[in-house]
Amino acid sequence: MHKDIATPVRTREILDKYGFSFKKSLGQNFLIDTNILNRIVDHAELKERSGAIEIGPGIGALTEQLAKRAEKVVAFEIDQRLLPILEDTLSPYPNVKIIHSDVLKADVQAVVETEFAGLEDVMVVANLPYYVTTPILMKLLEERLPIRGIVCMLQKEVADRISAKPSTKEYGSLSIAVQYYTKAETVMIVPKTVFMPQPNVDSAVIRLTLHDEPPVKVTDEKFFFFVTRSSFAQRRKTILNNLTSQLPDGKQKKEDILAALKQAGIEESRRGETLSIEEFACLSEALYPYFH
Ligand code: SAM
């Protein structure tokens, strides 16, 4: 019986065997604590017939634990140097497939359809590369993949912004974008000591469970997200001032925005950070006819 990959001793052995050196630019901070990995996988609530997608398997620490609990695991890894290592470390797990690709450029939808056909559900589980956390999450959500949810490790500061509630300093357009698609919860705060090498920032694990239906109905999602982003353009400014500077020019722009705010029942002196997702939806619907 071999030892788990995610121990300091075995990880060191593997790195030495292949003369592997970490690339900071690829966000390579590997997990060396099996207990933490098991807790992450617990949060994914995998069933025997679940599929799992991993982003950035590294030397396979998380992949191994996923392979033990899911029917099939497909992992996207950008760093070619890791491919022979993964072939070696994951050789006991025939239910794992590694795809050598930048996940941001990959056709994840096609992979889900071909690799997980007939399975009960699909979860994304990852210890994300921190330099691209937000683009990866937004890609997975905007493409509306047929997945149940995402459990991932990321910078604590980003986790705080994603799960933030209105009227907190962390609440912003990222909170709204993610909460439009999912129920977002921070489920673990993780110490730096479980990584090799240790990252400079604090880490957390979030669980995103996809909504069956978005919590609000809007005519045009792109416009809704544009309005929310615009409302936070300068956090200290009022929503009226932010919208006036961000929305496209029109003859009576300010009057139109004032009329839409009134129609949505939102005081012009409020700041974006005080508006709930429902209020943003009302406001976006009220603004829509003026700007289309
Ligand atoms: N899963 C491993 C673990 O927990 O020990 C490694 C996690 S490490 C934080 C992030 C991994 O993502 C690295 O293996 C890195 O090479 C890979 N990676 C970085 N950018 C990527 C991208 N755009 N697409 C796919 N993988 C990427």
Side-chain angles (χ1 to χ4, degrees), residues 26-31 54 56-58 77-78 102-103 127 129 131:
L26 289 178
Q28 291 179 338
N29 301 92
F30 296 169
L31 281 166
E54 187 188 357
E77 175 56 62
I78 198 171
D102 175 347
V103 72
N127 169 19
Y131 75 105

Side-chain angles (χ1 to χ4, degrees), residues 137-152:
L137 287 177
M138 291 322 297
K139 173 185 164 105
L140 298 174
L141 297 177
E142 283 168 0
E143 288 187 358
R144 297 194 180 264
L145 301 172
I147 56 174
R148 175 158 54 86
I150 303 174
V151 173
C152 65

Side-chain angles (χ1 to χ4, degrees), residues 22 24 26-31 127 130 195-200:
F22 294 102
K24 220 177 161 180
L26 289 178
Q28 291 179 338
N29 301 92
F30 296 169
L31 281 166
N127 169 19
Y130 291 178
F195 298 92
M196 185 191 290
Q198 296 189 13
N200 299 324

Side-chain angles (χ1 to χ4, degrees), residues 30-44:
F30 296 169
L31 281 166
I32 49 164
D33 187 317
T34 312
N35 179 40
I36 292 280
L37 281 168
N38 276 319
R39 285 172 55 203
I40 295 173
V41 180
D42 284 346
H43 284 296

Side-chain angles (χ1 to χ4, degrees), residues 76-92:
F76 294 90
E77 175 56 62
I78 198 171
D79 188 348
Q80 181 146 27
R81 299 174 306 153
L82 289 166
L83 302 186
I85 305 184
L86 286 163
E87 205 171 300
D88 177 5
T89 58
L90 297 175
S91 60

